[in-house]
């Protein structure tokens, strides 16, 4: 069975709901993109919208690619953590209901991932229960940080505890880089920014103790884990020689690599090997 673990769907109602409150700098990817890249995205919009939302297009693409099943997650551009908590909870619910409806059209082909209103801990915990129980979603996609909070922030621990308790997985998928003003040229807003965010997320999950505090938490970092697996020797060296680092975790960072899941969205077979 060939499983595509990294696909997205767009919930048009969310765009309508935030249209009056979203700001140009709300999404790093949009904020830091060059005019040329924005123009290219605009050209692709009709084609991508069909791929995001049309079941016939999705099934046709799967057949052409030889894919048996798809994991479908919300579009990361709709993880609007800037929104005030009530609005964020509302649009998270909308996205999760949208994913569940898509999965219901072909439940033998699709598996659904949800999203969470991460700035509201209680609402996130409640949405994990609702989306698993009522919608059958298997995991939840979040960004690589929650506004000013990194993923190792202890305030997020109740969310990790609920994920661990319910057996739900956690997918890390950023969009752009938090401080990406230098990454505008050459489409680095995507090619460098996102794997860099994923690298930082890896460090917070590992050296920030999240994986030690929640040993049964199932984490999946998109895009092959970002840069993390391919520079692990330097992280191990840092852990070996820097006491302020090796005091944080009992084993070197490389020992945690097999605690995390990765996809194959890296575009080269030798990279995967």
């Amino acid at each position: 069975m060939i499983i595509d673990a990294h696909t997205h769907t767009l919930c048009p109602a969310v765009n309508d709901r935030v249209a009056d409150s979203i700001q140009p700098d709300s999404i790093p990817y949009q904020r830091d993109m060059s005019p040329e890249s924005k123009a290219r995205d605009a050209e692709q919009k009709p084609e991508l919208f069909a791929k995001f939302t049309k079941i016939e297009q999705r099934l046709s693409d799967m057949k052409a690619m030889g894919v048996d099943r798809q994991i479908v997650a919300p579009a990361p551009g709709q993880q609007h953590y800037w929104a005030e908590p009530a609005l964020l909870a509302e649009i998270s619910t909308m996205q999760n209901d949208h994913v569940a409806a898509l999965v219901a059209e072909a439940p033998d082909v699709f598996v659904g991932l949800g999203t969470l209103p991460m700035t509201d801990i209680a609402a996130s915990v409640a949405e994990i229960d609702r989306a698993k129980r009522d919608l059958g979603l298997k995991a939840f996609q979040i960004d690589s940080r929650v506004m000013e909070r990194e993923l190792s922030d202890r305030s997020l621990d109740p969310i990790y505890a609920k994920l661990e308790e319910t057996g739900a997985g956690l997918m890390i998928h950023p969009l752009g880089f938090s401080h990406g003003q230098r990454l505008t040229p050459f489409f680095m807003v995507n090619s460098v920014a996102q794997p860099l965010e994923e690298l930082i997320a890896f460090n917070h999950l590992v050296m920030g103790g999240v994986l030690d505090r929640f040993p049964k938490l199932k984490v999946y970092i998109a895009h092959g884990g970002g840069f993390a697996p391919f520079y692990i020797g330097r992280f191990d060296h840092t852990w070996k020689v820097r006491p302020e680092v090796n005091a944080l975790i009992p084993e070197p960072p490389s020992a945690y690599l097999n605690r995390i899941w990765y996809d194959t969205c890296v575009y080269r077979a030798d990279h995967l090997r």
Side-chain angles (χ1 to χ4, degrees):
M1 179 182 290
I2 305 300
I3 302 172
D4 186 346
H6 188 162
T7 83
H8 298 292
T9 182
L10 184 80
C11 180
V14 168
N15 289 349
D16 295 338
R17 183 67 181 85
V18 302
D20 293 336
S21 51
I22 194 169
Q23 299 296 317
D25 290 349
S26 296
I27 302 173
Y29 177 77
Q30 300 290 341
R31 178 195 66 202
D32 301 326
M33 194 186 302
S34 70
E36 295 83 2
S37 291
K38 288 181 179 179
R40 178 59 181 149
D41 271 14
E43 290 174 7
Q44 295 183 100
K45 188 173 181 179
E47 177 187 0
L48 293 179
F49 185 79
K51 291 178 180 292
F52 275 137
T53 60
K54 305 299 183 185
I55 191 78
E56 301 83 4
Q57 179 72 57
R58 188 175 289 266
L59 292 172
S60 174
D61 289 344
M62 289 178 65
K63 183 177 181 180
M65 296 168 68
V67 171
D68 300 305
R69 301 198 77 176
Q70 275 190 349
I71 314 300
V72 184
Q78 295 189 318
Q79 291 173 162
H80 297 301
Y81 295 165
W82 56 265
E84 56 89 16
L87 174 59
L88 181 58
E90 178 186 347
I91 63 176
S92 296
T93 297
M94 292 166 64
Q95 290 176 78
N96 293 344
D97 290 347
H98 171 83
V99 169
L102 186 152
V103 170
E105 294 195 56
D108 57 332
V109 174
F110 302 133
V111 175
L113 272 64
T115 190
L116 296 172
M118 291 291 289
T119 60
D120 187 328
I121 305 301
S124 294
V125 169
E127 185 60 13
I128 293 169
D129 275 331
R130 184 193 80 91
K132 276 190 62 65
R133 180 189 64 243
D134 299 344
L135 304 180
L137 301 186
K138 304 297 185 184
F140 297 88
Q141 172 187 272
I142 67 169
D143 207 330
S144 46
R145 68 173 191 148
V146 181
M147 300 302 287
E148 75 284 355
R149 285 180 287 178
E150 302 289 355
L151 295 185
S152 59
D153 194 299
R154 294 270 183 160
S155 68
L156 303 177
D157 278 5
I159 296 175
Y160 300 139
K162 175 57 69 170
L163 292 167
E164 188 179 58
E165 173 195 329
T166 60
L170 180 67
M171 178 185 183
I172 310 299
H173 192 309
L175 188 68
F177 183 64
S178 58
H179 297 77
Q181 290 82 355
R182 293 180 61 204
L183 302 179
T184 294
F186 323 127
F187 200 51
M188 289 191 294
V189 67
N190 180 283
S191 61
V192 174
Q194 289 176 206
L196 181 57
E197 282 281 359
E198 288 149 357
L199 166 63
I200 294 172
F202 172 88
N203 275 273
H204 277 278
L205 292 169
V206 172
M207 288 185 267
V210 175
L211 297 183
D212 286 324
R213 296 197 297 276
F214 303 97
K216 295 182 180 178
L217 181 65
K218 296 180 287 188
V219 178
Y220 154 33
I221 302 180
H223 310 118
F227 295 133
F230 310 101
Y231 218 49
I232 196 68
R234 189 168 181 86
F235 307 145
D236 278 2
H237 180 72
T238 300
W239 179 86
K240 180 179 178 181
V241 303
R242 300 296 302 196
E244 73 274 26
V245 176
N246 61 43
L248 299 174
I249 53 176
E251 297 181 280
S254 60
Y256 293 80
L257 281 174
N258 65 1
R259 283 282 318 280
I260 297 172
W261 296 82
Y262 314 93
D263 60 30
T264 59
C265 190
V266 298
Y267 307 105
R268 287 184 63 121
D270 58 348
H271 188 145
L272 293 176
R273 288 193 296 272

